[in-house]
C-alpha cells in the first residue's frame, strides 16, 4: 500500500507566551519566560506559588458571533481545558481554510488530546458534594461530559461538523505527541483527508498544583519564577507547570495542493516506546528514550545524521534531563555534537497534555525560519558533571542555522514515550 504524504496546513495556539502561534514563536525566539505568580487561585498554603499561565484569554474572541449570548454560555460551560482547545482549533481551522466550499467534512477528523482533562470541573463538583453531602448527591448533569478527557475532540467535531475519525488520547506528558502520531497515521493510510489534532490542558488549580507538589515534581523557586525552569543546568529543581492549547491541521499532500492550501511543513515519521521501569521516573539509562527516537528515525526513512534539531522533552528535573541527554548522545553518536538541542519548556513551562503539540509547532517553525529557539536560564558554572556540554543545548539565545529536519521528544508518567519528526516541505 502506498502511503500518502502528510503536510501541515493550519496552526493555532493559546500559550503562556502568546494568544496565537506567531506571538508565541517570536517570544520563544527572544527567550521570554511565561512564568509568574499563579492567579487562578489563592496559593497561600501551597509550596509552589507560580506557574506559566495563559494571560488575557477572552472567550468572546473565539465565538462565531460575539453577540450571541447563548453561544457564549455554551462556550463558558466547558471546562477551561476545552475552552483552550476550541480557541486554538478555531485559529488552526481558519488558518487552513478548512471550512471552504468543496471540502468533504466526512473526510475531516479530530484527534485531540488532554493528559488530565477537566480537572477544575472535577475539583469543583467533588468540593460541592463534600460541602453538601448531607443533602445527598447534587452533581451537575454536565459534570461527566465536561470533565472527560475526550470531550475537547468531541466539541471541536460538533462545532465544525467534522465527521471523520474522532477521539481523544491520554498518555500523560506524551499525550499530544501521541495524538499527532495517530493523526499522521490516519492521513497517510488514507483513512481521512485531514485531521485536526493537538492537545490542551488547564491544570493550574489546587488539585493540580497540590498534587505535583506532593510528588516533589515541580520547582519551589518562588523567589525567581522566570528563572525557575532551567533544563540541563545543575541547579534544576523540578518543572514549572504550564497550561494552554495547541492545534495543527494535518492534511494529505494531494488534497492540500488541489485546493491551494498554505503548507508549513511535512510530517515524516513518528515513534513510540515504553520505559517499562517506573510510574514517574524515566529509565536512568534512557532506554525508552533511545528506542523511541530510533523508531521515529526509522519510520521517517532517514538517517540519524539527517536530523538538525532536537526539541528535547527537557523538563528541568534532575533525573529526566540527565537520561535524555545521554539518550541523545547514544542515538546520534558523533552527530550529537553537530545538531542543536533545546528545551522550550524553559519558556512555556510544562504544558502537560498540550506540550507535545507545542513543541511540534516549534519544530515546524524552526524548519520554516532556519532558527533554533533557546534553552533559557543557564548560567556559567551551572553545569551538571554528568551532562556532556560539548553538545549544543542552545543556551540562552536562539541560533540561526539550516534546519531541514527536526525531531521532538515527549515522555510521560507511566513510561510513555513519543517522538515525531517534521521537515521542510519540498515538492
Amino acid at each position: 500500500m502506498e502511503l500518502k504524504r502528510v503536510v501541515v496546513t493550519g496552526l493555532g495556539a493559546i500559550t503562556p507566551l502568546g494568544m496565537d502561534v506567531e506571538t508565541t514563536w517570536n517570544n520563544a525566539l527572544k527567550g521570554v519566560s511565561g512564568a509568574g505568580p499563579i492567579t487562578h487561585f489563592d496559593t497561600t498554603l501551597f509550596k509552589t506559588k507560580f506557574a506559566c499561565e495563559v494571560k488575557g484569554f477572552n472567550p468572546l474572541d473565539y465565538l462565531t458571533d460575539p453577540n450571541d449570548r447563548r453561544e457564549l454560555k455554551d462556550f463558558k460551560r466547558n471546562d477551561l481545558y476545552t475552552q483552550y482547545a476550541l480557541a486554538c482549533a478555531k485559529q488552526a481551522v481558519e488558518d487552513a481554510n478548512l471550512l471552504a466550499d468543496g471540502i468533504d467534512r466526512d473526510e475531516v477528523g479530530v484527534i485531540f488530546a488532554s493528559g488530565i482533562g477537566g480537572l477544575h470541573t472535577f475539583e469543583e463538583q467533588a468540593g460541592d458534594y463534600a460541602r453538601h453531602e448531607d443533602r445527598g448527591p447534587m452533581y451537575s448533569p454536565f459534570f461527566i461530559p465536561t470533565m472527560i478527557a475526550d470531550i475537547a475532540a468531541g466539541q471541536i467535531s460538533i462545532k465544525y461538523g467534522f465527521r471523520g475519525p474522532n477521539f481523544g488520547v491520554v498518555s500523560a506528558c506524551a499525550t499530544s505527541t501521541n495524538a499527532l502520531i495517530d493523526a499522521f497515521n490516519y492521513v497517510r493510510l488514507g483513512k481521512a483527508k485531514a485531521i485536526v489534532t493537538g492537545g490542551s490542558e488547564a491544570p493550574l488549580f489546587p488539585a493540580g498544583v497540590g498534587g505535583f507538589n506532593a510528588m516533589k515534581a515541580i520547582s519551589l523557586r518562588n523567589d525567581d519564577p522566570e528563572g525557575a525552569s532551567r533544563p540541563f543546568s545543575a541547579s534544576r529543581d523540578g518543572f514549572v507547570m504550564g497550561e494552554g492549547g495547541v492545534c495543527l491541521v494535518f492534511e494529505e499532500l494531494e488534497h492540500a495542493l488541489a485546493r491551494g492550501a498554505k503548507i508549513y511543513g511535512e510530517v515524516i515519521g513518528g515513534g513510540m516506546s515504553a520505559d517499562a521501569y517506573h510510574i514517574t521516573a524515566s529509565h536512568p539509562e534512557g532506554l525508552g528514550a533511545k528506542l523511541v527516537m530510533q523508531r521515529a528515525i526509522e519510520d521517517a526513512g532517514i538517517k540519524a545524521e539527517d536530523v538538525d534539531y532536537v526539541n528535547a522533552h527537557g523538563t528541568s528535573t534532575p533525573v529526566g534531563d540527565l537520561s535524555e541527554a545521554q539518550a541523545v548522545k547514544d542515538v546520534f553518536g558523533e552527530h550529537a555534537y553537530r545538531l542543536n538541542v533545546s528545551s522550550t519548556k524553559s519558556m512555556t513551562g510544562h504544558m502537560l497534555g498540550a506540550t507535545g503539540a507545542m513543541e511540534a509547532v516549534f519544530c515546524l517553525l524552526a524548519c520554516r525560519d532556519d532558527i533554533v529557539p533557546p534553552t533559557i536560564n543557564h548560567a556559567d558554572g551551572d553545569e551538571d558533571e554528568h551532562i556532556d556540554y560539548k553538545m549544543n543545548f542552545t543556551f540562552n539565545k536562539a541560533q540561526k542555522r539550516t534546519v531541514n529536519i527536526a525531531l521532538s521528544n515527549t515522555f510521560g508518567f507511566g513510561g510513555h514515550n513519543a517522538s515525531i519528526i517534521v521537515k521542510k516541505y519540498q515538492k
Side-chain angles (χ1 to χ4, degrees), residues 93 96-108 161-163 193-194 251 255 259 261:
V93 167
N97 196 23
L98 208 55
L99 301 179
D101 292 342
I103 293 180
D104 184 353
R105 299 190 194 186
D106 289 355
E107 294 294 329
V108 181
F162 296 146
R163 292 177 290 271
K193 297 297 184 184
E251 189 168 351
H255 188 264
R259 65 187 191 88

Side-chain angles (χ1 to χ4, degrees), residues 255-271:
H255 188 264
L257 291 175
R259 65 187 191 88
K262 170 178 56 183
I263 295 175
Y264 284 97
E266 185 171 359
V267 187
I268 59 172

Side-chain angles (χ1 to χ4, degrees), residues 243-257:
E243 63 172 350
V246 182
C247 187
L248 305 88
V249 175
F250 283 9
E251 189 168 351
E252 180 186 304
L253 174 61
E254 293 83 356
H255 188 264
L257 291 175

Side-chain angles (χ1 to χ4, degrees), residues 196-207:
V196 177
T197 187
S200 63
E201 207 79 84
L204 301 180
F205 294 99

Side-chain angles (χ1 to χ4, degrees), residues 94-388:
E94 292 178 353
D95 188 35
N97 196 23
L98 208 55
L99 301 179
D101 292 342
I103 293 180
D104 184 353
R105 299 190 194 186
D106 289 355
E107 294 294 329
V108 181
V110 182
I111 303 175
F112 207 87
S114 181
I116 301 175
L119 181 64
H120 185 45
T121 296
F122 181 85
E123 186 176 75
E124 282 190 325
Q125 291 287 300
D128 284 347
Y129 174 69
R131 285 189 291 273
H132 306 294
E133 59 182 334
D134 57 311
R135 296 186 301 181
M138 298 287 289
Y139 293 102
S140 164
F142 296 102
F143 170 37
I144 298 300
T146 302
M147 175 198 71
I148 52 180
D150 68 309
I151 201 64
Q155 289 282 28
I156 295 168
S157 170
I158 291 165
K159 181 175 178 65
Y160 297 109
F162 296 146
R163 292 177 290 271
N166 181 264
F167 57 91
V169 176
V170 178
S171 53
C173 305
T175 288
S176 54
T177 302
N178 276 126
L180 267 57
I181 292 171
D182 281 353
F184 170 55
N185 284 328
Y186 272 74
V187 175
R188 70 171 168 172
L189 289 170
K191 304 297 183 183
K193 297 297 184 184
I195 298 284
V196 177
T197 187
S200 63
E201 207 79 84
L204 301 180
F205 294 99
V209 176
F212 280 112
N213 262 154
M215 294 173 60
K216 300 181 179 180
I218 55 178
S219 174
L220 300 176
R221 206 178 296 274
N222 293 304
D223 60 338
D224 183 21
E226 293 185 356
S229 182
R230 45 186 68 191
F232 306 111
S233 293
S235 57
R236 62 193 185 277
D237 73 327
F239 69 83
V240 176
M241 293 181 70
E243 63 172 350
V246 182
C247 187
L248 305 88
V249 175
F250 283 9
E251 189 168 351
E252 180 186 304
L253 174 61
E254 293 83 356
H255 188 264
L257 291 175
R259 65 187 191 88
K262 170 178 56 183
I263 295 175
Y264 284 97
E266 185 171 359
V267 187
I268 59 172
M272 295 172 282
S273 75
D275 278 350
Y277 172 72
H278 190 272
I279 59 170
T280 58
S282 58
H283 193 286
E285 297 175 19
L287 297 185
K290 286 187 283 189
L291 187 59
V292 75
M293 286 186 277
Q294 289 166 343
R295 286 176 171 169
I297 290 167
E298 180 181 2
D299 188 50
I302 61 173
K303 297 177 181 179
E305 53 266 33
D306 294 328
V307 176
D308 301 300
Y309 168 48
V310 173
N311 187 295
H313 185 58
T315 57
S316 190
T317 58
V319 174
D321 288 7
L322 182 62
S323 61
E324 185 176 13
Q326 184 59 51
V328 170
K329 278 187 63 177
D330 290 345
V331 169
F332 291 96
E334 287 301 311
H335 186 60
Y337 303 111
R338 294 189 289 271
L339 55 75
N340 277 68
V341 178
S342 75
S343 172
T344 47
K345 289 184 183 72
S346 58
M347 297 170 288
T348 65
H350 193 345
M351 297 167 66
L352 306 182
T355 206
M358 182 74 269
E359 290 158 11
V361 169
F362 284 148
C363 285
L364 283 163
L365 298 181
C367 290
R368 183 193 71 178
D369 296 345
D370 284 325
I371 190 169
V372 174
T375 305
I376 67 170
N377 297 324
H378 184 77
D380 290 341
D382 190 7
E383 298 183 350
D384 186 327
E385 63 178 343
H386 302 293
I387 291 177
D388 186 351

